[in-house]
Amino acid sequence: MPDITALSVDDFASVTGWGRTAPTTALVVRPRTYEEAAAAVRGCGTRGSIARGLGRAYGDAAQNAGGSVLDMTGLDRIRTVDADTGVVVCDAGVSLHRLMEVLLPLGWFVPVTPGTRYVTVGGAIGADIHGKNHHVSGGFARHVRSLELLTADGRARTVRPGTDLFDATAGGMGLTGVILAATIQLLRVETSLMSVDTERATDLDDLMTRLTETDHLYRYSVAWIDLLAKGAATGRSVLTRGDHAPLDVLPPRAARHPLAFRPGQLPAAPAFVPEGLLGRRSVGLFNELWYRRAPRARTGELQKLSTFFHPLDGVPHWNRIYGRGGFVQYQFVVPYGQEEALRRIVMRISRRGCPSFLAVLKRFGQGDSGWLSFPVPGWTLALDVPAGLPRLGAFLDELDEEVVAAGGRLYLAKDSRVRPETLAAMYPQIDRFRSLRAELDPRGVFTSDLSRRLAL
């Protein structure tokens, strides 16, 4: 699979999501100016076009079979930074990694980051990404003051929060237009280190109790959960929470360069990984070791930002470890008050023996205004599973039914297989989104494999 960020303008390429499932072929165009982006949209042809950043959507959101894909990473300028107020204006192709490189030395951090810093600003808005701090800070779009959007008529519009177009674009997966630039409010920090508390929870109920009673004490909170554990240990977890470390807790050596940002990197995952490497036995062993090596209770540990937020970024191309068949990430949220539904789903996954070593549970705070924005107040569980598991599709369809019955939803940026009728039951604003999109883009200029699959 070629890396489309290395291709020149007008190359046909097989394009896939981070899960490496269902690749399709598209014409990849790499604009370097707003004018080139507009020209690419005007000349996209009958199969339309979709913007793409660094390719970290897990499914088919940034694919467009037979059409064109706009690789936006060439639009990567940080235009202005107000070091006093923490407001940055940047192109949509700027990555969160680049923002950290430039802004951390000035004492500012991105307001929301997911489990990877290799996502673009445009992708962060289009998916309305969330992080470990959603219960405090909401999604990424909450911190966007304005954005520049190239719409199907070739116009670049300034779009601000509180408008229908903003609410359709935040979480709209690129289907309202091409985000060209954004103005973002950053978070003030004193250091580039995190003060982290870690503890083990013996089962799912223990974990939910700890999160419910003490999450308000932390800006960031996440739990790794062992989905292969059974019996009394079902849902056993390692809970990790923290905040940006203040300057006065740093040891003398670290205090000399308190805002240094030096993420480490390990060798890349091999290009070929034998199928079946991540089976129940190997993942079960990993989960056992990971749980046992975690401290029962540890407070105030200083960790690098990259260790706390983005441990997998230290292994380039880590998605290869699932083999050629790729993997599916399944992420859902169920509202508070539906804890029994969460228990049932965790029990079903445990009984099924899904070999997932990347499974995390978090609590969401108040949802934002995006019509297709994923978070709502409740419990969210995300897990990775090899795509080749027998009857995986049927099993996930059954989980979908549990999620819908509980009033929950799935995350479009992670999805690669949900049915359109199921999605419609999850997002009450979906008809409003479709109506605005039809008005704004009657010819279907902006389209993707995801939008065709889900009739968006």
Side-chain angles (χ1 to χ4, degrees):
M1 176 66 59
D3 176 2
I4 72 164
T5 62
L7 296 172
S8 60
V9 173
D10 296 349
D11 280 301
F12 281 96
S14 179
V15 180
T16 186
W18 191 245
R20 305 177 76 203
T21 59
T24 55
T25 300
L27 178 68
V28 178
V29 183
R30 195 167 192 258
R32 294 187 176 277
T33 66
Y34 298 166
E35 291 76 18
E36 288 181 2
V41 167
R42 288 194 296 268
C44 66
T46 58
R47 293 289 289 181
S49 186
I50 193 69
R52 180 183 176 98
L54 289 166
R56 291 305 180 104
Y58 284 73
D60 52 2
Q63 299 173 214
N64 184 22
S68 64
V69 169
L70 270 63
D71 175 358
M72 297 296 291
T73 56
L75 285 165
D76 59 355
R77 289 164 294 182
I78 296 177
R79 294 179 172 270
T80 65
V81 178
D82 189 324
D84 294 324
T85 64
V87 174
V88 60
V89 181
C90 63
D91 287 349
V94 174
S95 69
L96 300 192
H97 173 83
R98 181 59 179 157
L99 288 181
M100 293 176 198
E101 283 186 320
V102 172
L103 300 169
L104 264 171
L106 303 177
W108 297 99
F109 188 63
V110 294
V112 171
T113 178
T116 174
R117 60 186 178 274
Y118 294 112
V119 296
T120 61
V121 167
I125 298 169
D128 197 12
I129 60 170
H130 57 271
K132 298 176 175 69
N133 60 339
H134 190 276
H135 63 294
V136 173
S137 302
F140 192 90
R142 185 181 297 186
H143 307 273
V144 175
R145 291 190 171 187
S146 67
L147 58 89
E148 299 299 315
L149 185 71
L150 176 65
T151 50
D153 57 7
R155 293 173 52 198
R157 310 184 186 202
T158 299
V159 184
R160 292 185 170 83
T163 63
D164 283 356
L165 187 51
F166 187 93
D167 291 344
T169 301
M173 306 310 296
L175 297 174
T176 60
V178 178
I179 299 171
L180 298 173
T183 302
I184 306 161
Q185 176 64 60
L186 304 168
L187 175 69
R188 171 73 81 179
V189 296
E190 294 183 11
T191 76
S192 61
L193 294 174
M194 302 295 296
S195 177
V196 181
D197 294 353
T198 306
E199 57 190 294
R200 291 195 305 206
T202 57
D203 58 29
L204 183 60
D205 284 340
D206 181 29
L207 172 63
M208 289 194 293
T209 297
R210 292 170 188 253
L211 287 168
T212 300
E213 293 181 352
T214 59
D215 241 14
H216 65 281
L217 301 175
Y218 298 90
R219 180 181 293 274
Y220 302 99
S221 175
V222 67
W224 169 87
I225 183 169
D226 183 359
L227 291 176
L228 286 177
K230 291 180 170 56
T234 300
R236 66 180 180 177
S237 310
V238 178
L239 180 55
T240 307
R241 296 182 288 187
D243 205 338
H244 298 276
L247 185 60
D248 59 12
V249 305
L250 267 57
R253 183 176 179 181
R256 289 199 291 269
H257 303 284
L259 291 167
F261 179 58
R262 302 187 187 96
Q265 195 168 82
L266 298 172
F272 174 76
V273 177
E275 298 297 326
L277 180 65
L278 295 180
R280 294 175 190 173
R281 183 172 298 179
S282 58
V283 173
L285 177 61
F286 171 87
N287 287 1
E288 181 71 26
L289 293 174
W290 190 261
Y291 181 77
R292 295 297 176 189
R293 73 182 289 273
R296 292 184 182 275
R298 181 174 62 198
T299 61
E301 179 190 16
L302 293 179
Q303 292 184 4
K304 294 166 61 176
L305 285 169
S306 55
T307 301
F308 182 76
F309 289 109
H310 315 119
L312 286 174
D313 282 347
V315 184
H317 305 294
W318 65 261
N319 56 338
R320 294 174 180 169
I321 65 176
Y322 290 89
R324 291 179 178 174
F327 68 100
V328 172
Q329 177 151 124
Y330 187 78
Q331 183 169 8
F332 68 89
V333 58
V334 294
Y336 296 126
Q338 293 293 331
E339 287 74 17
E340 191 55 42
L342 177 62
R343 292 186 186 96
R344 286 196 304 271
I345 292 172
V346 169
M347 288 290 293
R348 293 183 70 163
I349 295 170
S350 175
R351 287 196 300 268
R352 176 68 163 73
C354 291
S356 177
F357 74 98
L358 294 175
V360 295
L361 183 74
K362 294 180 290 196
R363 295 173 77 247
F364 280 157
Q366 187 63 41
D368 291 306
S369 60
W371 295 344
L372 298 185
S373 183
F374 168 63
V376 293
W379 303 92
T380 181
L381 176 65
L383 59 145
D384 291 351
V385 290
L389 285 182
R391 296 192 69 254
L392 178 62
F395 177 68
L396 295 180
D397 285 345
E398 293 170 3
L399 295 190
D400 290 349
E401 293 175 5
E402 291 262 16
V403 172
V404 169
R409 58 181 55 170
L410 301 183
Y411 190 17
L412 284 176
K414 305 287 182 70
D415 177 63
S416 59
R417 31 70 49 196
V418 73
R419 298 176 179 177
E421 63 271 18
T422 304
L423 186 79
M426 295 176 172
Y427 285 87
Q429 301 273 31
I430 196 167
D431 286 339
R432 193 176 182 188
F433 175 84
R434 287 169 173 154
S435 177
L436 184 140
R437 185 167 175 246
E439 177 184 340
L440 196 67
D441 184 8
R443 296 185 295 113
V445 169
F446 299 112
T447 189
S448 65
D449 291 354
L450 178 143
S451 71
R452 291 190 189 96
R453 174 169 60 86
L454 297 177
L456 288 174

